[in-house]
Amino acid sequence: MIVTGLQGQPPADHPHGYPFLASVRDNVLACAKHFVGDGGTYKGINEGNAICSPDDLERIHTKPYPDCIAQGVATVMASYSQWNGEPLHASRHLLTDVLKGKLGFEGFVVSDWEGIDRLCEPRGSDYRYCVAQSVNAGMDMIMIPHRFEKFLEDLVFLVETGEISMSRIDDAVERILRVKFISGVFEHPFSDPSLLDVVGCKEHRLLAREAVRKSLVLLKNGKKQSETFLPLAK
């Protein structure tokens, strides 16, 4: 499992749902994504809408997450997509009740790139609304590539007016600090410069090429050359 490959194997008595990192030097934090149902959207549309019952959502789309959480995955990223019309970035039921509650996830939930902007149309036009909806849904860390000053301004306003409770802020901060503590970032804020020569080294590039060769799949375009499958007929 890739979570164990990145973070290391947690011991048998590791607390369920608690983030784990075997070594702050030899391992890295994993992120399970995208929660949840992004692979089951209507007609396979990217950032689309997964239309299914709660039972099917749990049986099919949520199925990989309990295993990731049992392995101590540190972070989970919310999906751009929707479930029965509700954006995942604003779903308190799925982020808080299911992921943090029922599944017992103790790490932090992070948004996708400008994910909260998609909670209104035009995107980001009512940013304060987007911030309130996502944070109150259970989003702990927001991925903001550009407008972080605006986010801070709106978040402070929403807390001061009581639209976002201090208990919600405390929960997010606790979860983020929990992951930072186990990551060793306070003791070792920088990566090991002695490993620079390993990045992109010849041995790694050869291994990458071997992985590509062994994983490529050659498809035949139709049963015979005169009856090709592609391009598709209009």
mmCIF file of all heavy atoms in Angstrom, residues 153-173:
data_model
loop_
_atom_site.group_PDB
_atom_site.id
_atom_site.type_symbol
_atom_site.label_atom_id
_atom_site.label_comp_id
_atom_site.label_asym_id
_atom_site.label_seq_id
_atom_site.Cartn_x
_atom_site.Cartn_y
_atom_site.Cartn_z
ATOM 1 N N GLU A 153 -8.344 37.799 6.161
ATOM 2 C CA GLU A 153 -9.279 38.868 6.520
ATOM 3 C C GLU A 153 -10.691 38.318 6.729
ATOM 4 O O GLU A 153 -11.356 38.624 7.728
ATOM 5 C CB GLU A 153 -9.286 39.928 5.411
ATOM 6 C CG GLU A 153 -10.297 41.043 5.612
ATOM 7 C CD GLU A 153 -10.401 41.949 4.391
ATOM 8 O OE1 GLU A 153 -9.356 42.188 3.740
ATOM 9 O OE2 GLU A 153 -11.517 42.395 4.072
ATOM 10 N N ASP A 154 -11.138 37.486 5.809
ATOM 11 C CA ASP A 154 -12.496 36.945 5.901
ATOM 12 C C ASP A 154 -12.624 35.937 7.040
ATOM 13 O O ASP A 154 -13.639 35.899 7.733
ATOM 14 C CB ASP A 154 -12.890 36.277 4.574
ATOM 15 C CG ASP A 154 -13.205 37.296 3.489
ATOM 16 O OD1 ASP A 154 -13.415 38.471 3.829
ATOM 17 O OD2 ASP A 154 -13.238 36.912 2.306
ATOM 18 N N LEU A 155 -11.589 35.119 7.244
ATOM 19 C CA LEU A 155 -11.636 34.137 8.319
ATOM 20 C C LEU A 155 -11.723 34.815 9.685
ATOM 21 O O LEU A 155 -12.539 34.437 10.531
ATOM 22 C CB LEU A 155 -10.406 33.228 8.267
ATOM 23 C CG LEU A 155 -10.341 32.135 9.333
ATOM 24 C CD1 LEU A 155 -11.501 31.158 9.167
ATOM 25 C CD2 LEU A 155 -9.010 31.400 9.284
ATOM 26 N N VAL A 156 -10.913 35.849 9.897
ATOM 27 C CA VAL A 156 -10.948 36.591 11.171
ATOM 28 C C VAL A 156 -12.324 37.221 11.372
ATOM 29 O O VAL A 156 -12.897 37.171 12.469
ATOM 30 C CB VAL A 156 -9.834 37.661 11.208
ATOM 31 C CG1 VAL A 156 -10.026 38.587 12.409
ATOM 32 C CG2 VAL A 156 -8.462 37.000 11.256
ATOM 33 N N PHE A 157 -12.870 37.805 10.321
ATOM 34 C CA PHE A 157 -14.201 38.419 10.413
ATOM 35 C C PHE A 157 -15.251 37.383 10.807
ATOM 36 O O PHE A 157 -16.087 37.626 11.684
ATOM 37 C CB PHE A 157 -14.575 39.059 9.074
ATOM 38 C CG PHE A 157 -15.987 39.584 9.027
ATOM 39 C CD1 PHE A 157 -16.281 40.872 9.477
ATOM 40 C CD2 PHE A 157 -17.030 38.799 8.543
ATOM 41 C CE1 PHE A 157 -17.598 41.354 9.449
ATOM 42 C CE2 PHE A 157 -18.333 39.261 8.512
ATOM 43 C CZ PHE A 157 -18.615 40.553 8.970
ATOM 44 N N LEU A 158 -15.198 36.217 10.171
ATOM 45 C CA LEU A 158 -16.193 35.172 10.428
ATOM 46 C C LEU A 158 -16.083 34.624 11.856
ATOM 47 O O LEU A 158 -17.091 34.285 12.473
ATOM 48 C CB LEU A 158 -16.024 34.041 9.414
ATOM 49 C CG LEU A 158 -16.421 34.387 7.975
ATOM 50 C CD1 LEU A 158 -15.861 33.363 6.992
ATOM 51 C CD2 LEU A 158 -17.932 34.465 7.846
ATOM 52 N N VAL A 159 -14.867 34.569 12.378
ATOM 53 C CA VAL A 159 -14.695 34.119 13.762
ATOM 54 C C VAL A 159 -15.177 35.188 14.730
ATOM 55 O O VAL A 159 -15.876 34.901 15.714
ATOM 56 C CB VAL A 159 -13.218 33.760 14.041
ATOM 57 C CG1 VAL A 159 -13.007 33.458 15.524
ATOM 58 C CG2 VAL A 159 -12.799 32.556 13.202
ATOM 59 N N GLU A 160 -14.834 36.430 14.454
ATOM 60 C CA GLU A 160 -15.232 37.530 15.342
ATOM 61 C C GLU A 160 -16.739 37.727 15.384
ATOM 62 O O GLU A 160 -17.293 38.138 16.412
ATOM 63 C CB GLU A 160 -14.533 38.825 14.918
ATOM 64 C CG GLU A 160 -13.034 38.826 15.209
ATOM 65 C CD GLU A 160 -12.347 40.095 14.750
ATOM 66 O OE1 GLU A 160 -12.931 40.822 13.899
ATOM 67 O OE2 GLU A 160 -11.221 40.364 15.223
ATOM 68 N N THR A 161 -17.415 37.423 14.296
ATOM 69 C CA THR A 161 -18.880 37.568 14.258
ATOM 70 C C THR A 161 -19.597 36.298 14.700
ATOM 71 O O THR A 161 -20.823 36.269 14.765
ATOM 72 C CB THR A 161 -19.347 37.938 12.841
ATOM 73 O OG1 THR A 161 -18.913 36.927 11.915
ATOM 74 C CG2 THR A 161 -18.798 39.292 12.421
ATOM 75 N N GLY A 162 -18.848 35.253 14.984
ATOM 76 C CA GLY A 162 -19.442 34.012 15.466
ATOM 77 C C GLY A 162 -19.950 33.093 14.384
ATOM 78 O O GLY A 162 -20.530 32.038 14.688
ATOM 79 N N GLU A 163 -19.715 33.432 13.101
ATOM 80 C CA GLU A 163 -20.177 32.561 12.013
ATOM 81 C C GLU A 163 -19.315 31.300 11.904
ATOM 82 O O GLU A 163 -19.771 30.277 11.398
ATOM 83 C CB GLU A 163 -20.173 33.336 10.692
ATOM 84 C CG GLU A 163 -21.190 34.468 10.649
ATOM 85 C CD GLU A 163 -21.171 35.221 9.331
ATOM 86 O OE1 GLU A 163 -21.442 34.595 8.291
ATOM 87 O OE2 GLU A 163 -20.867 36.421 9.353
ATOM 88 N N ILE A 164 -18.081 31.398 12.369
ATOM 89 C CA ILE A 164 -17.219 30.227 12.558
ATOM 90 C C ILE A 164 -16.830 30.206 14.023
ATOM 91 O O ILE A 164 -16.319 31.190 14.558
ATOM 92 C CB ILE A 164 -15.953 30.293 11.672
ATOM 93 C CG1 ILE A 164 -16.319 30.208 10.194
ATOM 94 C CG2 ILE A 164 -14.996 29.153 12.026
ATOM 95 C CD1 ILE A 164 -15.138 30.325 9.254
ATOM 96 N N SER A 165 -17.091 29.088 14.696
ATOM 97 C CA SER A 165 -16.852 29.010 16.139
ATOM 98 C C SER A 165 -15.367 28.813 16.448
ATOM 99 O O SER A 165 -14.614 28.275 15.631
ATOM 100 C CB SER A 165 -17.652 27.855 16.737
ATOM 101 O OG SER A 165 -17.152 26.614 16.269
ATOM 102 N N MET A 166 -14.957 29.245 17.644
ATOM 103 C CA MET A 166 -13.579 29.019 18.072
ATOM 104 C C MET A 166 -13.298 27.533 18.241
ATOM 105 O O MET A 166 -12.170 27.086 18.045
ATOM 106 C CB MET A 166 -13.306 29.753 19.377
ATOM 107 C CG MET A 166 -12.900 31.215 19.202
ATOM 108 S SD MET A 166 -11.503 31.476 18.073
ATOM 109 C CE MET A 166 -10.230 30.488 18.861
ATOM 110 N N SER A 167 -14.327 26.759 18.588
ATOM 111 C CA SER A 167 -14.121 25.322 18.723
ATOM 112 C C SER A 167 -13.757 24.696 17.380
ATOM 113 O O SER A 167 -12.968 23.742 17.322
ATOM 114 C CB SER A 167 -15.369 24.652 19.305
ATOM 115 O OG SER A 167 -16.490 24.828 18.443
ATOM 116 N N ARG A 168 -14.301 25.224 16.289
ATOM 117 C CA ARG A 168 -13.953 24.722 14.953
ATOM 118 C C ARG A 168 -12.515 25.092 14.615
ATOM 119 O O ARG A 168 -11.765 24.288 14.048
ATOM 120 C CB ARG A 168 -14.928 25.317 13.917
ATOM 121 C CG ARG A 168 -14.636 24.994 12.448
ATOM 122 C CD ARG A 168 -14.961 23.587 12.053
ATOM 123 N NE ARG A 168 -13.863 22.671 12.318
ATOM 124 C CZ ARG A 168 -12.857 22.425 11.472
ATOM 125 N NH1 ARG A 168 -12.809 23.005 10.293
ATOM 126 N NH2 ARG A 168 -11.917 21.578 11.792
ATOM 127 N N ILE A 169 -12.105 26.312 14.970
ATOM 128 C CA ILE A 169 -10.724 26.738 14.753
ATOM 129 C C ILE A 169 -9.781 25.884 15.591
ATOM 130 O O ILE A 169 -8.738 25.432 15.116
ATOM 131 C CB ILE A 169 -10.551 28.231 15.103
ATOM 132 C CG1 ILE A 169 -11.427 29.104 14.186
ATOM 133 C CG2 ILE A 169 -9.080 28.644 14.984
ATOM 134 C CD1 ILE A 169 -11.100 29.017 12.711
ATOM 135 N N ASP A 170 -10.153 25.656 16.859
ATOM 136 C CA ASP A 170 -9.312 24.839 17.743
ATOM 137 C C ASP A 170 -9.128 23.433 17.183
ATOM 138 O O ASP A 170 -8.038 22.860 17.253
ATOM 139 C CB ASP A 170 -9.932 24.761 19.140
ATOM 140 C CG ASP A 170 -9.851 26.084 19.891
ATOM 141 O OD1 ASP A 170 -9.049 26.950 19.484
ATOM 142 O OD2 ASP A 170 -10.588 26.253 20.878
ATOM 143 N N ASP A 171 -10.199 22.860 16.635
ATOM 144 C CA ASP A 171 -10.126 21.511 16.067
ATOM 145 C C ASP A 171 -9.161 21.485 14.886
ATOM 146 O O ASP A 171 -8.325 20.582 14.771
ATOM 147 C CB ASP A 171 -11.515 21.051 15.624
ATOM 148 C CG ASP A 171 -11.487 19.700 14.921
ATOM 149 O OD1 ASP A 171 -11.025 18.717 15.535
ATOM 150 O OD2 ASP A 171 -11.915 19.632 13.748
ATOM 151 N N ALA A 172 -9.259 22.493 14.011
ATOM 152 C CA ALA A 172 -8.384 22.553 12.836
ATOM 153 C C ALA A 172 -6.927 22.727 13.257
ATOM 154 O O ALA A 172 -6.030 22.045 12.742
ATOM 155 C CB ALA A 172 -8.821 23.691 11.917
ATOM 156 N N VAL A 173 -6.681 23.637 14.200
ATOM 157 C CA VAL A 173 -5.313 23.897 14.658
ATOM 158 C C VAL A 173 -4.734 22.657 15.329
ATOM 159 O O VAL A 173 -3.571 22.293 15.103
ATOM 160 C CB VAL A 173 -5.290 25.100 15.618
ATOM 161 C CG1 VAL A 173 -3.913 25.246 16.266
ATOM 162 C CG2 VAL A 173 -5.651 26.382 14.877
#
